[in-house]
Every structure is written in C-alpha cells, then in structure tokens.
Amino acid sequence: PGPAPRRVTATMHDSPVEVTAADLSQLGVSDQVSTFTTYFEGGLGSPRSQNIVRVAEMVDGTLVRPGEVFSLNGHTGERGYAQGFQDAPVILDGRLQPGVGGGISQFTTTLFNAAFYAGLEDVEHHPHSYRYSRYPPVIESTIFYPMLDLKFRNNTPHGILIDTSYTSGSITVTMWGTKVWDDVTARWGAKRDPVEPRTRYVDPGPSCIDTEGIDGFTQDAWRVFHRGGREVEQELFTWRYDAQPRVICGEEPEEDGGDP
C-alpha cells in the first residue's frame, strides 16, 4: 500500500509434482471420455459467475484414481468468503435469497453430467427442489456444504482426469481417461403430476428477491450404456420438482369482501 517506488523480493524453490505425465500414461489417461457445458448470463463480472469460476478452478486438474470416490465438498472444503466466494442468489426457506457461494450448483450440475456421460458410478447427488431451464431435467445437482454433496466413483480400471474451462457465458467440464463404453446417452420420459405455483408475499428488503413461479412435476430419465452397436444397460433416475412460488416483495393486498 505504500507509494512508489515499491520493491518485492521473491524467492524460488522447486516443488515436486504430485502427478507426472508418466503417471497419467500408466493410468490410461489418454482420451476424452466425456464433456458437458452449461450456460449462464451476466458475463464474468457478476458475483454468481465469479463463484462458478472459483469452484471450477479449485477442481481443475483433479485426478480420480481407479476405485476412488470424488466428493466435491471433500475436495473444496467449506466455500465461504475466506475461500473467495461471494453473495449471490441461493434457495433458502423455499425462495431465492442472497447467500455466499450462490451459483456453484451450476458447476455441480456440469460436473455431474460430465460424470454421468462418462459412465461413472453415481454415489450421491441432489437435484434442485425447483426446475430451472438452464439445466437438463432430472439429471442435475445442487450442493450445500456440508449436508448436500456430489459424489461419484471411478468404477473403471483407468484414471479419470477432470478438466474445467470457462468463457464469459459458459462453464465446461471434460473427463479424460480411457473409454469403457462406446457411448452413454440419456432418454427422458414425459412430465407427469403437474402442480401450479402459489403466490407468496414477503416483506421487502435486501433478502427478498422477486421471483416468477415455476410449475412442479415428476419426470423420469434413463442413462443408457451402449457397446457393440447396441444398448446393454439402463439406469433409471426419477425426481419430483416442487412448484416454486411466485414471490412478490411487498404487502399482500387486502381482499375486497364485496356486497353482503
């Protein structure tokens, strides 16, 4: 903070790498196994976008060895102000409110889908309580430290390297390793049991965010594994989305009783 001229003395030292190119080659990390991208608005200047980028940088370059379980909460630890995260909208008490780390569920969903299409074993994931169109239905995941986590197992005999990248409007997660399936695809069933949102009035203030309502419904999705030109296995995922209330920051208008 002092005035110019300023001088900083740097010291250099060697640090051994944790994983070498030879290690990756021996583990069979050679080919792209899957990749998945989701999109966001507001550029990289918004707190929400900064949170997405921050958690992506923390995961980038992670090696998951054969048989290991990757835990996003375990990998990053608590995600608070001290770790570089900012306040952005999160779901609290059934509605959107400002909270530290808001937006990292977008990275969580992107990572989950990369693991999904890589054919890795789903150990733990938690779809959002409300349906958001920026994510694929059913096969998506939120996160909340320490209660809600995203975990998947590398159930292949090869290493999996997690590569993350981003632009001003997207986040991408790519898995590198050795393909054990010719292809992994998704198929969705029709929505059923729809529920319309109700209207909720909340006292105005910094913790209130006006929100349009979203219908609730139940839907199925299947992960389909392909080998030798045919479907050889299916895995069912089912989720029930609640109807997100229409939130109005203001007093509820009084009802007109009309003539007796």
Side-chain angles (χ1 to χ4, degrees), residues 15 62 66 73 75 87 138-139 217 230:
S15 296
T62 299
N73 279 343
H75 184 83
D87 283 334
V138 184
I139 52 173
F217 58 89
R230 62 187 184 90

Side-chain angles (χ1 to χ4, degrees), residues 50-251:
Q50 287 294 308
N51 291 336
I52 295 171
V53 169
R54 178 73 186 105
V55 70
E57 291 174 341
M58 296 173 78
V59 174
D60 187 42
T62 299
L63 176 66
V64 187
R65 296 178 182 273
E68 284 187 345
V69 173
F70 174 87
S71 161
L72 186 53
N73 279 343
H75 184 83
T76 67
E78 186 174 3
R79 297 172 294 270
Y81 302 119
Q83 291 75 31
F85 293 92
Q86 305 176 46
D87 283 334
V90 299
I91 300 175
L92 293 172
D93 190 27
R95 61 184 177 90
L96 290 177
Q97 301 183 51
V100 62
I104 61 174
S105 288
Q106 174 138 11
F107 175 78
T108 309
T109 286
T110 312
L111 177 61
F112 172 74
N113 273 266
F116 178 97
Y117 287 106
L120 303 180
E121 179 186 343
D122 174 36
V123 176
E124 178 184 350
H125 81 284
H126 305 271
H128 288 80
S129 53
Y130 305 133
R131 165 79 174 110
Y132 294 112
S133 59
R134 59 178 170 265
Y135 307 138
V138 184
I139 52 173
E140 47 99 349
S141 184
T142 187
I143 194 165
F144 191 84
Y145 187 90
M147 290 81 74
L148 305 180
D149 199 359
L150 169 65
K151 297 179 182 179
F152 58 84
R153 186 189 314 276
N154 178 5
N155 55 342
T156 79
H158 315 285
I160 292 289
L161 184 70
I162 306 174
D163 174 45
T164 71
S165 60
Y166 58 87
T167 69
S168 61
S170 68
I171 181 72
T172 298
V173 176
T174 302
M175 301 285 191
W176 296 87
T178 298
K179 276 183 170 288
V180 297
W181 302 100
D182 294 343
D183 197 12
V184 178
T185 60
R187 183 166 61 238
W188 285 268
K191 299 176 184 178
R192 63 183 184 272
D193 304 325
V195 177
E196 294 184 356
R198 61 184 179 85
T199 299
R200 180 178 177 184
Y201 292 87
V202 178
D203 292 338
S207 66
C208 184
I209 299 175
D210 285 299
T211 309
E212 291 293 329
I214 302 175
D215 290 348
F217 58 89
T218 300
Q219 193 170 15
D220 299 322
W222 288 266
R223 177 160 60 166
V224 184
F225 300 85
H226 303 258
R227 183 179 287 150
R230 62 187 184 90
E231 297 182 4
V232 296
E233 189 176 331
Q234 292 186 9
E235 183 179 8
L236 174 64
F237 295 79
T238 301
W239 188 248
R240 172 70 190 171
Y241 288 105
D242 297 331
Q244 178 172 305
R246 176 176 176 243
V247 174
I248 298 177
C249 299
E251 293 184 0

